[in-house]
Protein backbone atom coordinates (compact mmCIF):
# COMPACT_ATOMS: atom_id res chain seq x y z
CA UNK A 1 0.00 0.00 0.00
CA UNK A 2 1.50 3.31 -1.10
CA UNK A 3 -0.23 5.15 1.74
CA UNK A 4 1.94 3.38 4.31
CA UNK A 5 5.03 5.05 2.86
CA UNK A 6 3.84 8.22 4.59
CA UNK A 7 5.55 6.99 7.75
CA UNK A 8 8.91 7.71 6.05
CA UNK A 9 8.15 11.41 6.50
CA UNK A 10 7.23 11.15 10.19
CA UNK A 11 9.61 13.00 12.56
CA UNK A 12 10.74 9.76 14.21
CA UNK A 13 13.85 7.61 14.04
CA UNK A 14 12.05 4.30 13.45
CA UNK A 15 8.49 3.49 12.43
CA UNK A 16 6.58 0.59 10.95
CA UNK A 17 3.00 0.13 9.82
CA UNK A 18 0.70 -2.46 8.28
CA UNK A 19 -2.89 -2.96 7.20
CA UNK A 20 -4.71 -6.26 7.55
CA UNK A 21 -8.09 -6.99 6.00
CA UNK A 22 -11.03 -8.57 7.79
CA UNK A 23 -10.29 -11.89 6.07
CA UNK A 24 -6.82 -11.92 7.65
CA UNK A 25 -4.89 -11.12 4.49
CA UNK A 26 -2.17 -8.49 4.63
CA UNK A 27 -3.10 -5.48 2.51
CA UNK A 28 0.31 -3.91 2.96
CA UNK A 29 3.24 -3.31 5.30
CA UNK A 30 6.10 -0.84 5.44
CA UNK A 31 9.09 -0.19 7.66
CA UNK A 32 10.76 -2.30 10.31
CA UNK A 33 7.80 -4.58 10.95
CA UNK A 34 9.91 -7.04 12.96
CA UNK A 35 11.35 -4.32 15.22
CA UNK A 36 10.16 -4.43 18.83
CA UNK A 37 8.63 -1.20 20.14
CA UNK A 38 7.27 -0.32 23.60
CA UNK A 39 3.48 -0.30 23.21
CA UNK A 40 2.50 1.93 26.15
CA UNK A 41 -1.32 1.82 26.33
CA UNK A 42 -1.70 -0.35 23.23
CA UNK A 43 -0.94 -2.97 25.88
CA UNK A 44 -4.49 -2.55 27.22
CA UNK A 45 -6.38 -4.27 24.38
CA UNK A 46 -4.06 -7.27 24.71
CA UNK A 47 -4.61 -7.36 28.47
CA UNK A 48 -8.37 -7.01 28.01
CA UNK A 49 -8.38 -9.92 25.56
CA UNK A 50 -6.70 -12.11 28.15
CA UNK A 51 -9.33 -11.13 30.72
CA UNK A 52 -12.10 -12.00 28.25
CA UNK A 53 -10.51 -15.42 27.68
CA UNK A 54 -10.60 -15.88 31.46
CA UNK A 55 -14.29 -14.92 31.44
CA UNK A 56 -15.06 -17.52 28.79
CA UNK A 57 -13.04 -20.11 30.71
CA UNK A 58 -15.04 -19.35 33.85
CA UNK A 59 -12.08 -18.14 35.88
CA UNK A 60 -13.71 -14.73 36.42
CA UNK A 61 -17.04 -13.10 35.62
CA UNK A 62 -17.59 -9.67 34.12
CA UNK A 63 -19.97 -8.65 36.87
CA UNK A 64 -18.10 -9.98 39.88
CA UNK A 65 -16.68 -7.45 42.36
CA UNK A 66 -13.22 -6.12 41.53
CA UNK A 67 -11.55 -2.85 42.50
CA UNK A 68 -13.28 -0.18 44.63
CA UNK A 69 -16.55 -0.85 46.46
CA UNK A 70 -19.32 -1.35 43.94
CA UNK A 71 -16.93 -1.86 41.03
CA UNK A 72 -16.73 -4.99 38.87
CA UNK A 73 -14.43 -6.51 36.26
CA UNK A 74 -16.65 -4.87 33.64
CA UNK A 75 -16.20 -1.44 35.25
CA UNK A 76 -12.42 -1.84 35.30
CA UNK A 77 -12.28 -2.86 31.64
CA UNK A 78 -14.48 0.09 30.64
CA UNK A 79 -12.66 2.75 32.70
CA UNK A 80 -15.72 3.33 34.87
CA UNK A 81 -14.51 1.94 38.20
CA UNK A 82 -13.98 5.46 39.54
CA UNK A 83 -10.23 4.98 40.06
CA UNK A 84 -7.89 7.84 39.21
CA UNK A 85 -5.58 7.85 36.19
CA UNK A 86 -2.39 6.61 37.81
CA UNK A 87 -3.21 6.04 41.47
CA UNK A 88 -5.62 3.91 43.45
CA UNK A 89 -7.67 6.87 44.61
CA UNK A 90 -11.42 6.74 44.11
CA UNK A 91 -12.66 9.82 42.25
CA UNK A 92 -16.25 8.80 41.42
CA UNK A 93 -18.84 6.12 42.08
CA UNK A 94 -18.55 3.14 39.71
CA UNK A 95 -20.46 3.58 36.47
CA UNK A 96 -20.90 7.35 36.74
CA UNK A 97 -17.86 8.77 34.91
CA UNK A 98 -15.38 7.61 32.29
CA UNK A 99 -12.06 8.09 34.09
CA UNK A 100 -9.25 6.64 32.01
CA UNK A 101 -7.23 4.62 34.51
CA UNK A 102 -3.92 2.79 34.32
CA UNK A 103 -4.46 1.92 37.97
CA UNK A 104 -7.71 0.20 37.04
CA UNK A 105 -5.94 -2.15 34.63
CA UNK A 106 -3.30 -2.91 37.24
CA UNK A 107 -6.04 -3.81 39.74
CA UNK A 108 -7.61 -5.95 36.99
CA UNK A 109 -4.34 -7.81 36.43
CA UNK A 110 -4.00 -8.50 40.15
CA UNK A 111 -7.60 -9.69 40.31
CA UNK A 112 -7.02 -12.20 37.50
CA UNK A 113 -3.81 -13.41 39.11
CA UNK A 114 -5.64 -14.10 42.38
CA UNK A 115 -8.47 -15.85 40.56
CA UNK A 116 -6.25 -18.12 38.46
CA UNK A 117 -3.08 -18.46 40.52
CA UNK A 118 -1.15 -17.52 37.36
CA UNK A 119 0.89 -14.30 37.08
CA UNK A 120 -0.90 -12.00 34.65
CA UNK A 121 2.00 -11.83 32.18
CA UNK A 122 2.05 -15.64 32.03
CA UNK A 123 -1.72 -15.83 31.58
CA UNK A 124 -1.55 -13.30 28.74
CA UNK A 125 1.20 -15.28 27.07
CA UNK A 126 -0.59 -18.63 27.40
CA UNK A 127 -4.09 -17.38 26.58
CA UNK A 128 -3.40 -14.90 23.77
CA UNK A 129 0.18 -14.46 22.61
CA UNK A 130 1.21 -18.09 22.08
CA UNK A 131 -2.05 -19.18 20.38
CA UNK A 132 -1.76 -16.27 17.95
CA UNK A 133 1.94 -16.87 17.27
CA UNK A 134 2.95 -13.51 18.76
CA UNK A 135 6.41 -14.74 19.74
CA UNK A 136 8.03 -11.28 19.81
CA UNK A 137 5.45 -9.84 22.22
CA UNK A 138 5.80 -9.79 25.98
CA UNK A 139 4.47 -8.02 29.04
CA UNK A 140 7.27 -6.82 31.29
CA UNK A 141 5.35 -5.09 34.07
CA UNK A 142 2.03 -3.26 34.16
CA UNK A 143 -0.90 -4.68 32.13
CA UNK A 144 -1.83 -1.05 31.50
CA UNK A 145 1.31 0.03 29.67
CA UNK A 146 4.34 -2.28 29.72
CA UNK A 147 3.85 -4.43 26.64
CA UNK A 148 6.49 -4.70 23.91
CA UNK A 149 5.63 -5.93 20.43
CA UNK A 150 6.16 -5.68 16.68
CA UNK A 151 3.93 -4.71 13.79
CA UNK A 152 4.15 -8.30 12.55
CA UNK A 153 2.74 -9.58 15.85
CA UNK A 154 0.05 -6.93 16.16
CA UNK A 155 -1.16 -7.75 12.66
CA UNK A 156 -1.97 -11.21 14.02
CA UNK A 157 -3.91 -9.65 16.88
CA UNK A 158 -5.75 -7.29 14.52
CA UNK A 159 -6.72 -10.26 12.36
CA UNK A 160 -8.00 -12.06 15.47
CA UNK A 161 -10.17 -9.09 16.40
CA UNK A 162 -11.81 -9.14 12.98
CA UNK A 163 -12.30 -12.93 12.81
CA UNK A 164 -12.03 -14.29 16.37
CA UNK A 165 -10.67 -17.76 17.02
CA UNK A 166 -9.75 -17.46 20.71
CA UNK A 167 -13.08 -15.94 21.78
CA UNK A 168 -16.68 -16.32 20.71
CA UNK A 169 -17.67 -13.72 18.14
CA UNK A 170 -20.38 -12.37 20.44
CA UNK A 171 -17.80 -11.79 23.19
CA UNK A 172 -15.68 -9.66 20.87
CA UNK A 173 -18.76 -7.82 19.60
CA UNK A 174 -19.64 -6.93 23.19
CA UNK A 175 -16.05 -5.84 23.91
CA UNK A 176 -16.03 -3.40 20.99
CA UNK A 177 -19.52 -2.03 21.69
CA UNK A 178 -20.14 0.86 24.06
CA UNK A 179 -20.16 -0.16 27.72
CA UNK A 180 -22.02 2.19 30.08
CA UNK A 181 -23.31 4.47 27.28
CA UNK A 182 -23.54 8.22 27.65
CA UNK A 183 -20.64 8.74 30.05
CA UNK A 184 -18.43 11.78 29.57
CA UNK A 185 -14.72 11.92 30.23
CA UNK A 186 -11.27 12.94 29.07
CA UNK A 187 -9.59 11.14 26.19
CA UNK A 188 -5.88 11.53 27.03
CA UNK A 189 -4.26 13.95 24.61
CA UNK A 190 -7.60 14.99 23.09
CA UNK A 191 -9.51 16.59 25.94
CA UNK A 192 -13.08 16.25 27.17
CA UNK A 193 -15.34 14.08 25.05
CA UNK A 194 -19.13 14.03 25.38
CA UNK A 195 -19.71 11.15 25.34
CA UNK A 196 -16.39 9.39 25.80
CA UNK A 197 -17.36 6.00 24.41
CA UNK A 198 -15.42 2.93 25.44
CA UNK A 199 -15.94 -0.80 25.21
CA UNK A 200 -14.25 -3.46 27.33
CA UNK A 201 -10.61 -2.52 26.90
CA UNK A 202 -11.13 -0.87 23.53
CA UNK A 203 -11.70 2.81 22.82
CA UNK A 204 -14.59 3.45 20.43
CA UNK A 205 -14.45 6.40 18.06
CA UNK A 206 -18.15 7.25 18.05
CA UNK A 207 -18.60 11.00 17.56
CA UNK A 208 -15.38 12.12 19.26
CA UNK A 209 -13.68 15.21 17.93
CA UNK A 210 -10.77 15.76 17.90
CA UNK A 211 -9.61 12.17 17.53
CA UNK A 212 -6.51 10.23 16.57
CA UNK A 213 -8.20 8.32 13.72
CA UNK A 214 -9.48 9.97 10.53
CA UNK A 215 -12.43 12.19 9.77
CA UNK A 216 -13.80 9.48 7.48
CA UNK A 217 -13.25 6.67 10.00
CA UNK A 218 -16.46 4.83 10.81
CA UNK A 219 -18.03 5.68 14.19
CA UNK A 220 -17.69 1.95 14.90
CA UNK A 221 -13.90 2.18 14.64
CA UNK A 222 -12.25 0.84 17.77
CA UNK A 223 -8.74 0.31 19.09
CA UNK A 224 -6.17 2.17 21.17
CA UNK A 225 -3.21 4.48 20.98
CA UNK A 226 -0.18 4.63 23.24
CA UNK A 227 1.92 7.46 24.64
CA UNK A 228 5.02 5.79 23.17
CA UNK A 229 3.87 6.73 19.65
CA UNK A 230 1.80 3.65 18.81
CA UNK A 231 -1.71 2.86 17.60
CA UNK A 232 -3.98 0.08 16.45
CA UNK A 233 -7.42 0.68 14.96
CA UNK A 234 -10.01 -1.62 13.45
CA UNK A 235 -12.62 -0.03 11.17
CA UNK A 236 -15.51 -2.45 10.53
CA UNK A 237 -16.83 -0.05 7.90
CA UNK A 238 -13.62 -0.40 5.90
CA UNK A 239 -13.21 -4.10 6.64
CA UNK A 240 -9.64 -3.58 7.74
CA UNK A 241 -7.30 -2.71 10.60
CA UNK A 242 -4.16 -0.60 10.76
CA UNK A 243 -1.18 -0.84 13.11
CA UNK A 244 1.53 1.80 13.38
CA UNK A 245 4.44 1.80 15.82
CA UNK A 246 7.09 4.48 16.28
CA UNK A 247 9.84 5.34 18.73
CA UNK A 248 8.86 8.90 19.61
CA UNK A 249 6.52 9.79 22.47
CA UNK A 250 3.02 10.96 21.54
CA UNK A 251 2.77 14.69 20.95
CA UNK A 252 1.75 17.30 18.39
CA UNK A 253 3.58 15.39 15.68
CA UNK A 254 1.23 12.41 16.17
CA UNK A 255 -1.86 14.61 16.38
CA UNK A 256 -0.89 15.91 12.94
CA UNK A 257 0.25 12.79 11.08
CA UNK A 258 -1.85 9.94 12.47
CA UNK A 259 -5.19 11.12 11.02
CA UNK A 260 -3.52 11.86 7.68
CA UNK A 261 -2.20 8.30 7.52
CA UNK A 262 -5.60 6.91 8.46
CA UNK A 263 -7.33 8.99 5.77
CA UNK A 264 -4.83 7.85 3.15
CA UNK A 265 -5.20 4.19 4.16
CA UNK A 266 -8.99 4.36 4.04
CA UNK A 267 -8.89 6.10 0.65
CA UNK A 268 -6.56 3.47 -0.76
CA UNK A 269 -8.71 0.65 0.60
CA UNK A 270 -11.52 2.52 -1.15
Amino acid sequence: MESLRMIDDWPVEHAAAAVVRADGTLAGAHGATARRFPLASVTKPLAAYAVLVAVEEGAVELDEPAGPDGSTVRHLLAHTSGLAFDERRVMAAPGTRRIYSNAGFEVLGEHLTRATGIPFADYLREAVLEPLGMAATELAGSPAKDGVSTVDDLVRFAAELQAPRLLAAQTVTAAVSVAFPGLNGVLPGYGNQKPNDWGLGFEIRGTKSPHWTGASSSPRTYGHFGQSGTFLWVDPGAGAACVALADRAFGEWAVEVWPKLTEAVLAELG
Side-chain angles (χ1 to χ4, degrees):
M1 295 184 70
E2 284 301 311
S3 53
L4 296 180
R5 296 184 179 277
M6 292 173 69
I7 67 173
D8 292 340
D9 297 323
W10 286 5
V12 303
E13 188 171 354
H14 300 98
V19 173
V20 59
R21 299 184 184 90
D23 64 3
T25 58
L26 191 67
H30 188 65
T33 61
R35 182 185 180 88
R36 299 175 83 230
F37 291 85
L39 296 180
S41 286
V42 176
T43 305
K44 289 184 178 75
L46 295 170
Y49 220 74
V51 172
L52 294 172
V53 170
V55 169
E56 287 202 351
E57 290 181 342
V60 298
E61 296 179 4
L62 283 173
D63 294 315
E64 71 185 28
D69 287 346
S71 172
T72 65
V73 169
R74 191 188 304 272
H75 286 113
L76 291 167
L77 283 168
H79 296 289
T80 60
S81 71
L83 286 174
F85 169 63
D86 240 351
E87 56 183 319
R88 301 188 185 193
R89 176 168 54 91
V90 177
M91 297 182 65
T96 62
R97 284 173 57 193
R98 191 85 64 186
I99 302 173
Y100 183 80
S101 179
N102 285 337
F105 263 71
E106 288 160 4
V107 168
L108 191 60
E110 293 167 6
H111 182 79
L112 186 62
T113 295
R114 285 193 299 271
T116 62
I118 303 170
F120 188 83
D122 293 341
Y123 194 93
L124 171 63
R125 186 182 70 252
E126 294 169 13
V128 179
L129 305 181
E130 287 179 352
L132 294 181
M134 298 174 65
T137 305
E138 66 175 335
L139 179 63
S142 167
K145 56 183 175 61
D146 288 335
V148 178
S149 189
T150 65
V151 165
D152 290 336
D153 272 13
L154 288 178
V155 160
R156 295 180 173 92
F157 182 60
E160 163 70 17
L161 291 171
Q162 296 177 92
R165 295 182 293 114
L166 306 185
L167 290 172
Q170 58 265 35
T171 298
V172 177
T173 297
V176 302
S177 301
V178 182
F180 306 99
L183 296 184
N184 301 332
V186 173
L187 176 62
Y190 291 89
N192 267 302
Q193 303 288 335
K194 299 180 179 182
N196 189 16
D197 287 344
W198 222 277
L200 302 179
F202 297 86
E203 193 225 323
I204 299 170
R205 190 186 195 285
T207 58
K208 292 172 185 162
S209 181
H211 198 256
W212 53 275
T213 59
S216 58
S217 295
S218 161
R220 293 188 295 147
T221 299
Y222 62 89
H224 223 291
F225 82 87
Q227 288 291 326
S228 58
T230 56
F231 74 71
L232 182 161
W233 56 249
V234 179
D235 189 336
C242 181
V243 177
L245 305 180
D247 57 1
R248 181 178 177 185
F250 172 84
E252 285 301 317
W253 73 271
V255 172
E256 179 181 350
V257 303
W258 285 354
K260 291 179 181 178
L261 175 64
T262 294
E263 287 293 304
V265 166
L266 292 174
E268 189 170 356
L269 288 169

